[in-house]
Amino acid sequence: MGNIVRWGILSSANIAKKSMVPAIHEADNAELVAVASESGKGQATATEWNAKTYYDSYEELLKDPQVDAVYIPLPNSLHKKWVIEAAKHQKHILVEKPAGITSDEILEMGGAARQNSVLFMEAFMYQFHPQHQFVKQLLLDGAIGKVRRIRSSFSFPLDLTSDNIRLKQNLGGGCLYDVGCYNVHVSRFILEEEPLKVFSSARKLNNSGVDISATSILTFEHADAVIDCSFDEAKVNRYEVIGSKGTIEVPFAFRPDQNPNEGKGEVILKNMDGEVLDHQFFEANQFTLQVQHFSQCILSGDDPKYTPESTYNNMKVIEALYKSQG
C-alpha cells in the first residue's frame, strides 16, 4: 500500500461524481483506481473519473487486490449488503450517510468490519470542516456561556412527483434519513452527549408515506435541540448555538460550498444583545479532508475519529424520531 490508499467506488452515483471523485484526486494520500457500475456505465464512468479500471459488477471490484478501500454511495437500503460484502473482501469502507436504515443494521456492519479487521466509517463529511472546530473552541472558551439550545435546519426543494430514490420508501427514502440525519448528528456533535428523549412531527407523501418535511425536538440533560429538515422548502443548511451569554451562527454548516462568499465556511459570534463580536471565514474542502483522514487511519492503523459506536447512536436517535412520528 505504501503511502497511498487505493480507492474503488461502487456505483456511478452523482454524489461520487460531484464531490468524492474530486476529493480522492485532490487528497495527497489517496488514489482512485477502480469504479464499478451495474447499469452498464462502468467503462464510460471510469474514463470520465480518470480511474484505471472499471467493472460491471460490484462483486468484481471487491475481488480486485489493487483496491484497498471502497466508497459506497448506493441507495440507503443497499448499504448493509455491500458494506458486509466489502468487509468480507478485506476492503476498508467509507459509506454514505445514513450508513443503514436501522440501528441493528449498523451493528451488523460494524461487526463485519471488526471480524475482518477493516475500518468502517459513515461519511458525515461536514464534521471535518475547520469551521466546526472553531465553534468547538469558542464553546470551550466559554464565549457564549452555557449552551442552552441548538437550532439547525437542512432543506432543499425536490420535485415530489419525480422518480428520485429519496422518495422511495423501499430504498430508505425520506427527508429525516437524507438531510435530517445531519441535524441529529450536529446536535450530538456540539453537545458531545446523547439525548434523553425526542419528539418529531412530519408531513408525508400520500402515495408512499415517505416523510418530506419534519420538525423535531431533542432533549439533552441541560440543553434542547430544535431541528427541521425538508424536501419541500428553500435551500437552507445552518445551525445556531444559543448560550446563556451569546450565540454562535454557522450559516452554511453542512454545505459551505453553497456559500455565495467563495464557498467558504462562516462562523458568527454575537453577544447577548446580538452585536457581532467575531466573524470568521474558513476555506477548505470537507470532502477532501474526510478522504485524507480516513486514508491516513488506514495507513497508520488508527481508528477514525468518527466511530461506528457514534454511527449507531445517531441511528438510534433517528429511529426514535420515526417512532415518535407514528
Side-chain angles (χ1 to χ4, degrees), residues 74-111:
L74 295 166
N76 299 338
S77 60
L78 298 178
H79 287 179
K80 185 185 86 166
K81 174 183 177 180
W82 290 106
V83 165
I84 291 174
E85 284 299 314
K88 289 178 180 178
H89 286 82
Q90 280 74 54
K91 308 301 183 188
H92 301 283
I93 305 142
L94 179 65
V95 60
E96 258 311 318
K97 39 59 41 192
I101 54 177
T102 68
S103 57
D104 285 343
E105 285 194 353
I106 305 299
L107 288 178
E108 287 186 61
M109 288 184 271

Side-chain angles (χ1 to χ4, degrees), residues 138-286:
L138 288 175
L139 295 176
L140 283 174
D141 294 342
I144 62 169
K146 295 181 179 179
V147 177
R148 297 304 191 201
R149 189 178 305 276
I150 296 171
R151 293 195 182 110
S152 67
S153 302
F154 201 172
S155 62
F156 65 93
L158 184 66
D159 180 357
L160 301 181
T161 65
S162 71
D163 198 39
N164 195 294
I165 61 172
R166 294 178 176 90
L167 302 176
K168 295 180 181 291
Q169 195 167 51
N170 63 323
L171 294 179
C175 68
L176 186 54
Y177 275 138
D178 189 70
V179 283
C181 62
Y182 287 93
N183 302 121
V184 172
H185 187 281
V186 78
S187 304
R188 300 172 50 253
F189 175 69
I190 293 297
L191 294 172
E192 297 184 353
E193 59 181 282
E194 304 301 331
L196 304 176
K197 60 181 179 179
V198 304
F199 171 78
S200 183
S201 177
R203 300 185 186 278
K204 301 183 179 183
L205 280 181
N206 292 331
N207 60 335
S208 67
V210 167
D211 53 305
I212 55 171
S213 294
T215 303
S216 309
I217 299 174
L218 282 57
T219 302
F220 295 83
E221 185 173 3
H222 299 295
D224 298 309
V226 180
I227 68 178
D228 59 82
C229 57
S230 181
F231 292 152
D232 195 29
E233 298 172 13
K235 279 187 178 181
V236 178
N237 74 101
R238 71 186 310 275
Y239 70 79
E240 180 182 17
V241 187
I242 303 168
S244 57
K245 297 180 180 179
T247 64
I248 301 170
E249 298 175 11
V250 187
F252 294 90
F254 311 113
R255 292 295 305 272
D257 57 296
Q258 294 179 357
N259 188 345
N261 194 332
E262 300 179 348
K264 295 178 180 178
E266 187 174 355
V267 178
I268 306 165
L269 173 66
K270 295 181 179 180
N271 66 13
M272 286 282 286
D273 298 320
E275 298 171 334
V276 176
L277 302 179
D278 197 3
H279 191 166
Q280 299 281 343
F281 291 90
F282 302 84
E283 190 167 3
N285 184 326
Q286 58 195 8

Side-chain angles (χ1 to χ4, degrees), residues 279-296:
H279 191 166
Q280 299 281 343
F281 291 90
F282 302 84
E283 190 167 3
N285 184 326
Q286 58 195 8
F287 292 95
T288 301
L289 293 175
Q290 175 180 245
V291 169
Q292 289 182 162
H293 173 73
F294 194 64
S295 296
Q296 185 54 43

